[in-house]
Amino acid sequence: MRILIVDDEPELLEQIRQALNRQQYTTDTAMDGEEALDRAFSDPYDLIILDVMLPKKDGFGVLLELRNEKITTPILMLTARGEIEDRIKGLDLGADDYLAKPFSMAELLARIRALLRRGNELVTSVLETGNLRLNTATREVTLNDRPLKLTPKEFSVLEFLLYNRNRAVSRFSMAEHVWGDAFDPFTMSNNIDVHIKNLRRKIGDTGGEVIRTVRGVGYIIRDDD
């Protein structure tokens, strides 16, 4: 399970990150609203922990923008405010739960487990376009209901494109997601182009109609009109 933690208090952010890592969750962090949106639009998360009081864009603004873009990831709001009006506002904007600071780490972990159980019941693990289907849970890919054999990197590239379908993704964002800190910026573009070429061959997309090139940016998968 991958969780995004958004808070501008470094000490609390690190405490939450360590607690989640001890529970075997994979975590990413952000310290302002704009960084939170960049991460949430670029990568698939199973849960977002979102503080209300953030620099650049507050948590309510982040929440509203995510929901307007049809991102249904469960969101747990954190705030130092205890007013019921703030809680109601967050829930009305699409938050799934609300926890006021200060809180115990045990309660936070319990809330996370409850939201992840609820999310598993409601959110499909299948990403698809046309007859191409990718199952993030079983890591299986099929084309016209026939299995495709992809390398782990090819799978990650395709997953990233499908998660962001209808949005152009840059080569840099793709490299950061697939290769993490291990990518070399000097060979990045060539590596990505090679993987895209292999993916197109395997899914029968020799004309680039499924994985489309966006000149000067990167690639995009669009839903069929």
Side-chain angles (χ1 to χ4, degrees):
M1 292 288 184
R2 190 173 186 184
I3 298 176
L4 175 62
I5 310 163
V6 188
D7 199 295
D8 65 335
E9 298 179 45
E11 185 175 343
L12 178 59
L13 189 69
E14 182 61 15
Q15 288 174 354
I16 296 173
R17 187 190 68 80
Q18 290 185 11
L20 296 185
N21 288 349
R22 285 194 294 269
Q23 298 297 315
Q24 305 303 310
Y25 295 115
T26 300
T27 57
D28 289 325
T29 61
M31 296 189 68
D32 63 63
E34 291 181 2
E35 184 184 7
L37 286 172
D38 287 342
R39 287 193 173 277
F41 286 142
S42 297
D43 295 307
Y45 290 99
D46 298 288
L47 178 74
I48 298 173
I49 300 172
L50 180 63
D51 188 28
V52 169
M53 301 298 291
L54 294 170
K56 297 187 179 179
K57 183 183 286 285
D58 69 18
F60 293 134
V62 172
L63 173 62
L64 180 61
E65 194 161 339
L66 291 176
R67 293 311 189 223
N68 284 342
E69 290 296 322
K70 310 303 181 186
I71 292 178
T72 58
T73 304
I75 294 178
L76 171 62
M77 301 290 291
L78 302 179
T79 184
R81 298 173 178 172
E83 292 87 351
I84 191 169
E85 290 81 5
D86 289 326
R87 181 177 182 181
I88 291 171
K89 180 178 179 180
L91 295 173
D92 282 345
L93 289 175
D96 296 272
D97 201 357
Y98 194 100
L99 191 57
K101 299 177 182 178
F103 53 82
S104 72
M105 206 57 66
E107 182 178 6
L108 175 65
L109 292 172
R111 299 285 188 98
I112 289 171
R113 288 192 296 270
L115 285 175
L116 290 174
R117 283 196 300 270
R118 188 191 311 171
N120 286 338
E121 294 170 358
L122 298 176
V123 179
T124 179
S125 59
V126 175
L127 302 172
E128 59 186 316
T129 184
N131 295 322
L132 181 65
R133 296 166 59 89
L134 180 148
N135 191 309
T136 61
T138 64
R139 296 189 67 82
E140 295 174 328
V141 179
T142 60
L143 178 64
N144 297 318
D145 296 324
R146 301 181 65 176
L148 291 178
K149 185 176 289 187
L150 303 182
T151 67
K153 288 290 190 292
E154 289 167 355
F155 181 94
S156 294
V157 169
L158 182 60
E159 178 188 29
F160 186 65
L161 286 168
L162 285 171
Y163 178 78
N164 288 285
R165 63 187 181 275
N166 299 317
R167 289 197 296 263
V169 296
S170 69
R171 287 177 171 84
F172 183 86
S173 294
M174 189 180 295
E176 196 174 38
H177 173 78
V178 176
W179 281 269
D181 294 334
F183 82 86
D184 181 348
F186 297 104
T187 61
M188 169 188 72
S189 184
N190 183 60
N191 280 340
I192 290 173
D193 291 344
V194 168
H195 281 78
I196 292 291
K197 180 180 179 181
N198 291 337
L199 261 178
R200 282 173 169 164
R201 175 176 53 80
K202 290 184 178 182
I203 67 175
D205 182 33
T206 54
E209 295 300 318
V210 178
I211 302 175
R212 305 183 189 183
T213 300
V214 181
R215 292 188 181 278
V217 179
Y219 298 96
I220 188 172
I221 289 180
R222 294 190 184 277
D223 287 330
D224 294 333
D225 295 333

